[in-house]
Amino acid sequence: MAVTIDPIEQFELKPLVSLGHIGHQQLAFTQSALYMFAAVGVIALITIVATASRSIVPGRMQSLAEVFYEFIADTLHQATGDGGKRFMPLVFSLFMFVLILNLFGMIPYAFAVTSHLIITFGLAALVISTVVIFGVMKHGTHFFGLFVPSGVPKPLLAILVPIEIISFISRPISLSVRLFANMLAGHIAMKIFAFFVVQLLLAGAWSVLSPLPLFLTIALTALEFLVAALQAYVFATLTAIYLNDALHPGH
Amino acid sequence: MAQPNPLTTPPPGNDTQIVPGHVEHTEAHTGAFPPFETSGYLAQLIWLALAFGLLYYLMDKVALPRIQSILHARAQRLRADLDQAQAMKTEADAAGVAFETALRDAQGKARDIAQTTRNTLAAEAETKRKALEQELNGKIAAAETTIRARTESAMGNVRSIAGEAATAIVERLTGQAPDRASLDRALDATAH
C-alpha cells in the first residue's frame, strides 16, 4: 500500500447543481459559487448584522466592521485624495470579498475561490473597466493623456507611449495573476509539505524525520494566513492607485 | 486509475487515496489543470458577477452608510461632549469671577455703610454736644446775670449797713448822731 496525493485536486470545481451546457461551457452551481455567496453572507454578518444596534460604544463585531471601514477609507484617501470617496463601496467590497475568500481557503478541506484565475481576472477586469469608463466619462479624451508623460521630448514619446500603453494593459493581468498565483502556490505548498509528513511516517526508520515537514507545514500555514490578508490588502491598494489615475490622469 | 473530470463525474470525497502499488504514476491526469479548465469559466464569471453584485449592493446601500453614520455620530457626540465640557468650564470660570466681583462689591458696600454710619453718628453727637453747650452757656449767662444783680443789690445794702454802723459808732463815741449830710459825704469818700 502506498499513499498518493494529488495537490491539484483541491482546486477542482465540483458542481452541486448542474444547469446544462452552452456550447462546451458547463453551467453549474459549483462549490466555488457557494463559497462566494457564503463570503457575501459572512461580510453582511460583520458589516450589517453586527452594526444593527448602531452603538456609540461598539461591541466586538461592530468594532471589527469599523476597523475594516476605517482601514480601507484611509488607504483609499491616501491613494486618491478627497475625490476617491465615491469608490469606497467598490474598494471596500473588493477588499472584504478577497479577504474572506482567502481566509475561507485556509479552513481545512475548504475551497480557495481566489485560486482560480478567472475569478481574480474577473475582479481585475472590473477594476480596470471602472478606471477606463470613469476616466473617459470624467475627462473625455484628456484621460488618454495618461499614456503621454509630460516634459518628455517629442521623439522619445514614440517609444514611451507604447510602453505606457503596455504597462496599462498589463495592470489587470498582474493584478489578477498576483492574487491567483499566491493562493494557488501557497495551497499547493501546504498540501505537499503536509503530505511529506504522512509519507515519512509510512517510511519505516525515516519516520523520525517526519516532524521536520510538520514544522514546515505549521510555519507555512502561518505564512499563508499572512499572505491571505496581505494579498487582499495589495488588491485593494492597487485598485485605489489605479482609480487615482481615473481621477487625476495627468502625469 | 484515471482522475475523473470534475465537471462530468461525481468528485471523490477525499484528495488522499490509498491505491495499490505505483499504478497511479502510470496514468496521466486526464483533466486539465483546474484553474485553466476553460469549460467552467462562463459559469464562474456569472456566479462571480451575481455574488459580487449582491455584495456591492449591500455594501453601497446598507453597510457603508450605516458604518459611516455610526462613526459620524460618535465623532459628533465626542465633539458635543467636549464642547459642553468647555462651555461648563467657561461658565464655572465666569461664576468664579462673578463671585469675586460680588464679594468685592459687598465688601466695598459694607465699608461704605460703616463709614456713613460712623459719620452720621459723629454728626449727631456733635449737634447734641453743641446744643448742650449752648444751653449750658445760656444757663451760665443767666446765672452770671443773677449774680451780678444780687451783687449789686448786696452792694446797695452795704452802704445803708455801713451808714447805720457809722451812725451807731459816732453816736456811741460822741453821744450824738451825725447829721445825714456829713454821713453821706463820709460814705461817698470811702466808697471810692
Side-chain angles (χ1 to χ4, degrees), chain A residues 1 6 8-9 11 13 15 25-26 28 33 40 47-48 51 54 56 58 62 66 69 89 93 116 118 126 191, chain B residues 6 15 17-18 24 29 33-34 38-39 42-44 47 51-52 56 59-60 64 66 68-71 74:
Chain A
M1 295 287 276
D6 184 356
I8 302 304
E9 195 273 344
F11 302 113
L13 289 173
Q25 287 288 329
Q26 302 265 349
V40 174
T47 59
I48 295 175
T51 59
R54 296 161 182 265
I56 289 287
Q62 190 183 318
E66 286 173 16
Y69 179 92
S93 302
H116 273 250
I118 187 67
L126 172 68
K191 184 132 269 181
Chain B
D15 50 11
Q17 302 143 31
I18 296 178
E24 76 281 0
H29 191 84
F33 183 53
T38 52
S39 66
L42 181 63
Q44 274 184 293
W47 293 122
F52 192 77
Y56 186 91
M59 294 300 109
D60 188 31
L64 295 183
R66 185 183 293 171
Q68 196 170 20
S69 80
I70 289 170
L71 294 175
R74 184 175 307 146

Side-chain angles (χ1 to χ4, degrees), chain A residues 144-165:
Chain A
F144 296 105
L146 187 63
F147 303 124
V148 186
S150 58
V152 173
K154 282 247 153 60
L156 268 182
L157 281 181
I159 308 166
L160 281 178
V161 170
I163 291 176
E164 290 284 340
I165 291 174

